[in-house]
Amino acid sequence: MTTPSALERPTGVPFTRRLAARLVLLPAVALSFLPPHRIRAVLDVVRRGAAPASADRARNARDAMCAVSLRCAGPRGCLPRSLGAALLCRLSGSWPTWCTGVRVVPPFTAHAWIEVDARPVDEGVPDDYFTPLITVAPVSRPTR
């Protein structure tokens, strides 16, 4: 027997942000089929020159991805959702920390998410609920 459920998609996402989210959706889904070391290599290149993302910008990007894609809004859409949100932030000149890892408590579950200031963005879990295995953080610029 299954339990019926409904996906909650964010509302009120401006048209231009939804359009930008649709633009990054295909590359995000394509990236999600690559092996982890290739995803990391691509994201290492894409993040260059970007400032660290604010929590609001990262949240807005995540909401936009969920608003335009049922796959991203679904429970198994964490990888394309997190990749799309990171790419969407990059379009505006910023970069969140992209993470993939595992849940700390049993049962074992892999997950991908974005963080700002070491806090998962809109995941609805405590900050230490996941253990990151791969992270792609903003590049810090040396101060002169």
Side-chain angles (χ1 to χ4, degrees):
M1 182 175 226
T2 61
T3 303
S5 63
L7 298 176
E8 290 187 31
R9 294 173 79 179
T11 57
V13 178
F15 175 75
T16 53
R17 195 171 304 128
R18 287 194 322 266
L19 190 61
R22 287 194 186 278
L23 178 71
V24 301
L25 182 60
L26 183 60
V29 170
L31 273 174
S32 72
F33 288 107
L34 296 177
H37 72 279
R38 298 254 186 222
I39 293 173
R40 182 181 185 133
V42 170
L43 296 182
D44 278 339
V45 171
V46 172
R47 72 176 173 170
R48 290 183 189 159
S54 68
D56 284 340
R57 179 161 288 169
R59 187 174 301 106
N60 289 339
R62 186 182 187 285
D63 285 350
M65 293 309 298
C66 291
V68 300
S69 169
L70 280 174
R71 180 179 188 172
C72 289
R76 297 183 186 260
C78 63
L79 186 55
R81 176 178 59 236
S82 63
L83 290 167
L87 294 173
L88 193 54
C89 283
R90 184 61 186 102
L91 282 180
S92 62
S94 63
W95 186 260
T97 299
W98 178 83
C99 304
T100 187
V102 295
R103 189 165 61 178
V104 176
V105 296
F108 170 84
T109 303
H111 190 58
W113 67 97
I114 57 172
E115 290 183 349
V116 173
D117 298 327
R119 302 188 78 188
V121 176
D122 271 5
E123 291 296 325
V125 295
D127 294 347
D128 59 352
Y129 192 75
F130 299 112
T131 297
L133 300 175
I134 301 173
T135 62
V136 181
V139 178
S140 58
R141 295 182 180 139
T143 56
R144 297 178 193 210

